[in-house]
Amino acid sequence: MDPETLRYAKTHEWVSVDGDIATVGITDYAVRLLTDIVFLSLPVVGKSYRPGQPMGEVESVKAVSDIYAPVTGEVLEVNTGLPDQLQLLSESPFDRAWIVKLRVVNPADLQNLLSRADYVQHCGE
Amino acid sequence: MRNPTATRLLFEMSEAGRGTVVFPEADVPEVSGLPEIGAEYRAESLLPLPELAEPDVVRHFVNLSTLNMSVDSHFYPLGSCTMKYNPKRHERLARLPQAVASHPYQHESQIQGLLSVLYELQGMLAEISGLPGVSLHPAAGAQGELTALLTAAAWFRHRGEQRTRVLFPASAHGTNPASAALAGFECVQLAGGSNGFVDLAELRAQLDERTAVFMVTNPNTLGLFEKDIATIAGMLHDAGGLVYIDGANMNAILGRTRPGDFGGDMMHYNVHKTFTGPHGAGGPGAGPIAVRDFLAPFLPSPVVAFDPQKNWYSLQEPQHSIGRMRSFFGNVGILLRGYCYIRTLGGRGLREASDCAVLNANYLLSQVRDFLDVPHGQRCMHEFVASAKRLKEQSGVTAMDIAKRLLDYGFHAPTVYFPLVVDEALMMEPTETESLATLDAFAAALRQICQEPAELLKGAPHSTAVCRPDEVNAARKPVLCWSAQC
Amino acid sequence: MAYLFDTPEQRQHMLSAIGAGSVDELFQQIPQQLQLGRELALPDAVSELQLEQDLQRRLGVVGGGGLCFLGGGVYDHFIPAVVDELTSRGEFYTAYTPYQAEASQGTLQAFYEYQTLISQLSGMEVSNASLYEGGTAVSEAVFMAMRVNGRHGRVVVAGSLHPEYRQVLRTYFSRLGTEIVEVPATDGVVSVAACRAALTAETTALVFQQPNFFGCLEDVGGLTAAAHAAGALAILAFDPISPGLLKRPGDYGVDIAVAEGQPLGTPLQYGGPLLGIFTCRGEYVRKMPGRLIGRTVDRNGRECFVLNLQAREQHIRRDKATSNICTNQGLLALRATVFLSVTGPRGLRQMAELSHRKARYAVERLTSLPGVSLKFGQPFFREFVLETPLRATELLEALAARGFNAGPALSRFGGSLGADLERCFLVALTEKRTRAEIDGLVQAVAEVLAG
């Protein structure tokens, strides 16, 4: 996916929307910040989350970070192979390292997300 | 000299059929007619433990020990850990029969001497803290925190108050929020001011009827005395809350000031830091707590009481006790070493120890300040936090690289990357039991290292048995147990 | 002054380098009104000789020089000299938490060996590098069960679990709204059916002990199956000497096994410091409390050891950590490592068999006295509950005066062990007690009962 076309949460999740399905991952910037990621816990299929609710976690050797739901939604699918191929998070953050697909309940949530340019600026601060 | 044969894993040295400890033949007959342990309960085979000969075991552990740095062998300026000399005399005293061989359910009449020592220690810790209610029960500092928070919660409940939040600054030890969460409180972290102190305005904005406790380390983890601590305590008390002092840094202030005098309502001691219980490669600790008189009835059980009429020491449960935090009385073996230390130094000696700890830290600070940034202050208490941020920007050398290179010079590394509020932090605590010559040698090594080529530092340490273990792979695919297959 | 170096000249030199006129000036960071302004009211400093003489006088003898038949969670087992000798080495004794792996390979490898030995002993897949002691290990196990199965409503606890462990659990969970249901023991053990009835869909775990507080053997297989049938975890507190004779926790498929590790080479020390053993299934490893050591390789491919999975711990995860524990019981874990190295499987089996055999001998002799009986008709390991016509506290005091320390009296724990136990107490046997000593205890009981 083209990072320029994605939407972003300030908490470093990216979102790609196709119809009422939002695919979510964590950004290249977040992966760089955490350095070598050693563990990923995935959201639970069938569970619903509100924006800002923690859905899962990523761990590096010396840090841990929550993965937050960027939009309200129910978990349709998770990338079950990802925890065993953590290198994908740095090699292919916007494609093969997608984490979760959510059914979007409230399309207005997307308005609260940032463009690539705004996200990059946010990270610079 | 390293002996690689002896430092193979115990399991690789095992030979079936060996055995070291042999017990005498049974001197009592087999008895029948009692309930028998059935076959369904019995082990079917010998345990898969290694079988070793005593000389091999001795050589193994002696060789392993030489792979460690320790206070007995090296300067160990690990900030926040107070790596001071562990007096040898304590070891003999802690092995006196009542100390080492008393069972916790021993009859009181047989351990009056031991109870008298523990009672005396309760009084000493009350005097040193300025807080009269003391419990020797907690197993370590972190458990002391949890104990005190539960004690405070019981007091609030007794007053009919429902307070739900515990506040702490960003520079707090991780145990503070972890203990507060375990005690069922909501954790609120304050960012803190850029000068390293608690930001009073920020604190004020967070105080309300939900505030139970503000946890603060004083001197704080930057090695600074919270100058506004009395004001902070006043703010908490006006809001109906309590102040918890994390006593990790008591080594800076013994006999100079007391938590009870600067507004603290509760505190814990780390006996293995301040009062020289051995660090023991990570424990055991002992985490006695001291509290204000109104909190004392809520302390955990048991405490030692003395009846002067009967001249008798006994264990008592405080009136509104929160109950037990662990089995048995407490970490008596460690408490006793702390007692010996306090007796050896006396009131004046404790103050002199703190004086010297602060003098040594300030001297070291004066020696490193011209080549390493120390963002917070010209002066410190017992420790200070330098930053390798500038070096990192200039040459890519990190605090970790410096830490690793120090090992090559025969010095243990300072604490790195803590507190989190300083980038590339190097936290140095020399303690009072180091000589001027050692401090000078350490400062000279550090100066030298800061001028060394980056590649040399990135490859450090060069002289140790191993270099930069792969922690990433260790965490991705944890191997926590030897097995014959691997 | 003890332990300090500086001469007055050196102090002056240091002060001038700092740019301070005096040490007092360094303390000006502390506002004047907060300074103590007097000396601490503590006893005057004493020399090593004086301190030794004072403590020798106060602590030199355990009153009466009595023999230890005391039980209830910690025991007077034999400790080989090599344990004290090796663990007293300053390189172990005065090192700290192995944060710098290159400077701590001795400690790290020893703890890795500890974890492995404890796995072998318990039959469980993973062990951490130790917790404080057995009681807090039980509470930590319940917290972990909640992380594993997400159930917080209830925990079911056997009434035959050490009463102090149950008290700790109540304190730890006092503010968390979890219902703690105790299933009373009948005839010294809990019934599987009663436990099954107490387990609900909200129950996170069933906690029980083997051998239990009364020294009796529980139906571990049945209790484990009951827990699993309800979707709860089975948490077992075991005795670390018992695997010399009995099946291991792992042999029963329990989920978490904890123990008071004191019998593995740690002296009684009036109950502390002790050793909290904590083991579990491999799949729960990221939810474990406490320190873990892992094997890895260094930059040059050499095998070595590191602190592993630190992101679980308080210094990284803070309020979301798996526990607030910061230390482990390093020295005592090291003691257990050396202890198990020299006892090995055969030594441990001998300890267990001797303790058991002597306990049976003691029961036979004691119950041959008029009015003295074994309270519970269950198989036991090295400890048992005796009932006599006298109040246990009175009997035990009279025995102590004769140089025989037994107990504790069950009344010590209030009603938490059941009703009508005023005349009951525990007696524990280890490989250390000789036939003559046991016969002496029997004689003393006979004398006291005879009035």
Side-chain angles (χ1 to χ4, degrees):
Chain A
M1 268 172 263
D2 179 2
E4 295 304 325
T5 64
L6 301 173
R7 308 291 293 174
Y8 295 85
K10 283 185 179 171
T11 47
H12 307 295
E13 293 82 15
W14 57 258
V15 184
S16 147
V17 183
D18 182 6
D20 66 345
I21 296 176
T23 305
V24 180
I26 55 173
T27 65
D28 50 345
Y29 179 81
V31 173
R32 246 195 340 270
L33 215 58
L34 281 161
T35 65
D36 300 303
I37 290 173
V38 298
F39 183 69
L40 168 76
S41 72
L42 294 168
V44 181
V45 175
K47 217 171 155 189
S48 292
Y49 297 94
R50 292 189 311 278
Q53 250 190 328
M55 302 188 291
E57 276 183 349
V58 271
E59 260 181 44
S60 67
V61 171
K62 296 277 159 63
V64 60
S65 179
D66 283 319
I67 303 166
Y68 297 97
V71 295
T72 307
E74 182 198 340
V75 178
L76 299 173
E77 194 186 345
V78 293
N79 187 350
T80 49
L82 189 57
D84 295 322
Q85 292 172 282
L86 292 169
Q87 72 284 359
L88 293 180
L89 286 162
S90 39
E91 288 169 14
S92 177
F94 298 107
D95 292 291
R96 296 182 63 198
W98 67 273
I99 292 172
V100 57
K101 291 186 196 294
L102 297 169
R103 184 189 305 284
V104 178
V105 176
N106 180 10
D109 289 344
L110 297 166
Q111 305 308 312
N112 298 325
L113 299 174
L114 307 176
S115 69
R116 178 75 183 175
D118 290 346
Y119 173 71
V120 168
Q121 195 194 343
H122 165 73
C123 294
E125 291 159 5
Chain B
M1 293 288 286
R2 181 149 195 237
N3 175 347
T5 315
T7 52
R8 285 178 299 156
L9 287 165
L10 289 171
F11 319 100
E12 296 164 352
M13 297 161 63
S14 171
E15 297 281 356
R18 271 193 199 137
T20 286
V21 178
V22 177
F23 291 95
E25 288 295 306
D27 59 353
V28 299
E30 283 279 14
V31 167
S32 57
L34 293 173
E36 297 284 344
I37 297 180
E40 71 275 24
Y41 289 109
R42 288 184 180 261
E44 282 158 15
S45 55
L46 214 52
L47 286 166
L49 296 167
E51 298 182 69
L52 302 156
E54 181 167 325
D56 259 358
V57 172
V58 170
R59 196 167 282 170
H60 175 73
F61 287 102
V62 168
N63 273 285
L64 280 190
S65 77
T66 64
L67 303 180
N68 274 359
M69 280 185 167
S70 68
V71 173
D72 273 5
S73 55
H74 296 85
F75 180 46
Y76 211 125
L78 198 62
S80 208
C81 297
T82 313
M83 300 297 289
K84 62 165 87 174
Y85 172 64
N86 293 140
K88 297 299 171 193
R89 65 189 67 170
H90 297 175
E91 300 317 307
R92 193 156 71 197
L93 297 172
R95 284 177 190 149
L96 286 168
Q98 270 189 40
V100 76
S102 288
H103 189 285
Y105 297 135
Q106 199 95 32
H107 197 270
E108 267 170 17
S109 63
Q110 299 176 326
I111 47 164
Q112 285 293 302
L114 179 61
L115 293 179
S116 78
V117 167
L118 295 171
Y119 181 78
E120 206 184 329
L121 179 60
Q122 287 177 178
M124 290 167 162
L125 297 181
E127 166 65 6
I128 294 167
S129 61
L131 295 166
V134 171
S135 166
L136 302 178
H137 188 58
Q143 209 197 20
E145 295 173 13
L146 177 61
T147 306
L149 289 172
L150 291 173
T151 300
W155 178 72
F156 284 124
R157 189 167 58 238
H158 191 74
R159 289 159 53 90
E161 289 192 73
Q162 298 285 332
R163 290 178 177 258
T164 54
R165 303 174 87 179
V166 168
L167 281 50
F168 49 86
S171 60
H173 295 109
T175 50
N176 293 178
S179 299
L182 200 54
F185 287 102
E186 181 192 342
C187 294
V188 181
Q189 179 167 308
L190 307 181
S194 57
N195 55 4
F197 294 107
V198 173
D199 181 336
L200 297 187
E202 186 192 11
L203 176 62
R204 188 171 291 113
Q206 290 289 351
L207 291 179
D208 56 26
E209 72 293 341
R210 294 171 298 175
T211 306
V213 178
F214 180 53
M215 300 180 86
V216 59
T217 308
N218 195 23
N220 66 25
T221 56
L222 292 163
L224 308 174
F225 191 88
E226 288 286 350
K227 55 187 172 38
D228 298 320
I229 189 70
T231 310
I232 291 168
M235 286 162 61
L236 258 292
H237 295 152
D238 289 347
L242 297 172
V243 176
Y244 183 84
I245 303 295
D246 179 327
N249 294 341
M250 278 301 283
N251 208 43
I253 57 170
L254 298 170
R256 283 283 181 176
T257 182
R258 309 188 302 173
D261 297 343
F262 57 69
D265 301 299
M266 318 177 272
M267 71 163 292
H268 75 260
Y269 290 96
N270 295 97
V271 176
H272 67 290
K273 295 180 184 177
T274 314
F275 300 127
T276 70
H279 281 79
I289 60 171
V291 300
R292 287 208 188 280
D293 50 2
F294 60 85
L295 293 168
F298 301 88
L299 284 174
S301 174
V303 294
V304 186
F306 178 58
D307 181 340
Q309 259 89 52
K310 297 183 188 149
N311 191 30
W312 195 257
Y313 296 91
S314 61
L315 299 184
Q316 300 287 338
E317 175 163 0
Q319 191 188 358
H320 304 295
S321 176
I322 57 167
R324 280 194 166 276
M325 293 298 295
R326 50 162 299 163
S327 56
F328 311 122
F329 178 83
N331 281 356
V332 173
I334 301 303
L335 294 166
L336 194 63
R337 288 168 171 88
Y339 171 84
C340 290
Y341 181 73
I342 295 169
R343 286 288 307 275
T344 301
L345 267 62
R348 189 178 304 169
L350 287 180
R351 177 171 144 153
E352 214 175 318
S354 281
D355 283 5
C356 205
V358 170
L359 179 64
N360 279 359
N362 277 285
Y363 177 72
L364 190 58
L365 170 62
S366 76
Q367 300 303 294
V368 307
R369 206 169 40 206
D370 57 336
F371 58 88
L372 270 178
D373 293 331
V374 181
H376 297 284
Q378 297 288 300
R379 293 276 166 83
C380 64
M381 295 296 286
H382 65 304
E383 68 187 0
F384 62 91
V385 182
S387 168
K389 188 179 176 194
R390 194 155 44 95
L391 211 57
K392 188 181 177 189
E393 285 163 2
Q394 286 163 1
S395 62
V397 166
T398 65
M400 188 60 86
D401 297 330
I402 295 173
K404 298 295 184 194
R405 183 64 179 146
L406 273 167
L407 307 179
D408 286 332
Y409 284 81
F411 297 108
H412 194 278
T415 297
V416 287
Y417 302 106
F418 182 83
L420 310 173
V421 294
V422 174
D423 290 333
E424 296 298 319
L426 287 152
M427 185 190 211
M428 307 185 201
E429 179 180 13
T431 82
E432 72 278 16
T433 59
E434 296 296 336
S435 68
L436 176 58
T438 301
L439 301 182
D440 280 339
F442 177 75
L446 208 49
R447 180 188 298 271
Q448 177 78 34
I449 289 168
C450 289
Q451 293 161 1
E452 284 179 336
E455 319 81 80
L456 186 66
L457 271 55
K458 293 276 168 205
H462 301 278
S463 59
T464 47
V466 301
C467 174
R468 309 249 183 160
D470 181 350
E471 295 183 287
V472 173
N473 208 41
R476 281 185 180 167
K477 297 193 175 69
V479 180
L480 307 172
C481 178
W482 177 89
S483 79
Q485 287 82 45
C486 59
Chain C
M1 225 280 294
Y3 320 132
L4 296 184
F5 288 90
D6 308 334
T7 63
E9 294 73 30
Q10 287 177 328
R11 240 173 225 229
Q12 207 42 61
H13 166 76
M14 292 163 80
L15 283 168
S16 5
I18 295 164
S22 66
V23 171
D24 283 346
E25 193 188 314
L26 299 176
F27 281 90
Q28 281 172 6
Q29 299 168 72
I30 304 175
Q32 189 61 40
Q33 71 278 13
L34 301 183
Q35 296 208 19
L36 183 57
R38 64 166 172 88
E39 208 169 281
L40 288 168
L42 295 172
D44 288 338
V46 291
S47 65
E48 180 173 358
L49 177 60
Q50 288 167 301
L51 183 61
E52 179 151 329
Q53 285 168 336
D54 178 41
L55 288 180
Q56 187 76 45
R57 182 177 55 76
R58 290 160 75 181
L59 307 179
V61 183
V62 177
L67 287 168
C68 186
F69 291 90
L70 288 151
V74 288
Y75 304 93
D76 181 28
H77 281 288
F78 180 66
I79 301 174
V82 66
V83 175
D84 279 327
E85 288 295 325
L86 290 174
T87 57
S88 307
R89 288 186 66 87
E91 298 92 331
F92 288 129
Y93 208 82
T94 70
Y96 202 35
T97 304
Y99 294 123
Q100 293 293 339
E102 292 93 336
S104 318
Q105 281 299 302
T107 293
L108 287 162
Q109 183 174 334
F111 288 172
Y112 180 78
E113 292 174 338
Y114 165 85
Q115 290 173 185
T116 302
L117 289 165
I118 296 300
S119 286
Q120 295 171 337
L121 181 72
S122 61
M124 302 294 289
E125 287 166 331
V126 283
S127 162
N128 74 6
S130 70
L131 300 176
Y132 301 136
E133 45 82 55
T136 52
V138 166
S139 290
E140 294 279 10
V142 175
F143 278 118
M144 191 179 112
M146 291 175 169
R147 291 191 291 274
V148 168
N149 60 20
R151 297 178 175 189
H152 296 85
R154 178 183 271 212
V155 52
V156 178
V157 182
S160 53
L161 177 70
H162 196 306
E164 295 193 4
Y165 296 4
R166 283 183 276 144
Q167 289 169 7
V168 174
L169 194 64
R170 290 202 176 277
T171 317
Y172 264 66
F173 284 84
S174 56
R175 287 175 41 76
L176 301 178
T178 300
E179 186 188 9
I180 300 175
V181 177
E182 293 191 4
V183 177
T186 48
D187 195 25
V189 292
V190 286
S191 103
V192 173
C195 289
R196 197 180 291 126
L199 289 159
T200 62
E202 265 62 62
T203 305
T204 188
L206 172 64
V207 189
F208 50 98
Q209 189 174 4
Q210 179 79 333
N212 68 23
F213 184 72
F214 303 117
C216 301
L217 300 194
E218 300 277 6
D219 177 4
V220 177
L223 293 169
T224 302
H228 289 169
L233 265 58
I235 299 175
L236 172 61
F238 71 105
D239 178 319
I241 300 295
S242 68
L245 183 69
L246 304 176
K247 283 204 170 86
R248 304 173 297 169
D251 298 333
Y252 291 102
V254 305
D255 304 291
I256 306 174
V258 300
E260 174 46 66
Q262 175 273 335
L264 305 176
T266 289
L268 293 163
Q269 300 180 96
Y270 194 55
L274 302 174
L275 174 66
I277 290 175
F278 192 100
T279 67
C280 66
R281 289 181 184 280
E283 68 204 75
Y284 303 153
V285 66
R286 287 177 195 274
K287 302 188 189 305
M288 279 180 99
R291 197 163 285 162
L292 285 167
I293 310 304
R295 200 188 64 182
T296 186
V297 291
D298 80 348
R299 178 178 275 183
N300 302 308
R302 288 174 292 207
E303 178 174 280
C304 60
F305 304 92
V306 290
L307 288 174
N308 205 359
L309 304 182
Q310 292 186 70
R312 298 166 299 113
E313 295 187 67
Q314 47 76 29
H315 59 284
I316 293 176
R317 218 182 208 95
R318 297 172 81 85
D319 58 321
K320 291 186 184 130
T322 56
S323 168
N324 69 333
I325 197 166
C326 182
T327 49
N328 64 340
Q329 297 290 95
L331 274 180
L332 312 174
L334 184 65
R335 292 185 75 93
T337 309
V338 178
F339 179 90
L340 288 169
S341 303
V342 290
T343 48
R346 289 165 212 283
L348 205 69
R349 180 156 79 179
Q350 264 193 305
M351 285 176 82
E353 284 179 347
L354 283 170
S355 301
H356 178 57
R357 181 157 163 169
K358 289 177 189 224
R360 287 173 66 85
Y361 174 74
V363 168
E364 189 194 45
R365 292 295 320 279
L366 286 161
T367 55
S368 70
L369 300 172
V372 179
S373 61
L374 190 63
K375 177 71 179 170
F376 304 118
Q378 307 289 343
F380 56 89
F381 172 48
R382 69 144 114 61
E383 188 171 20
F384 52 87
V385 176
L386 211 60
E387 186 166 37
T388 79
L390 278 185
R391 284 177 74 87
T393 47
E394 287 167 28
L395 176 73
L396 293 175
E397 186 165 357
L399 286 177
R402 285 170 165 76
F404 295 92
N405 297 318
L410 299 192
S411 59
R412 183 187 181 104
F413 308 98
S416 68
L417 291 167
D420 300 326
L421 297 169
E422 284 77 18
R423 294 177 294 113
C424 296
F425 61 96
L426 280 165
V427 180
L429 274 293
T430 69
E431 69 290 336
K432 281 174 75 174
R433 297 285 77 83
T434 63
R435 179 173 188 162
E437 290 168 351
I438 299 168
D439 291 345
L441 170 71
V442 175
Q443 178 64 32
V445 173
E447 284 170 22
V448 175
L449 291 179

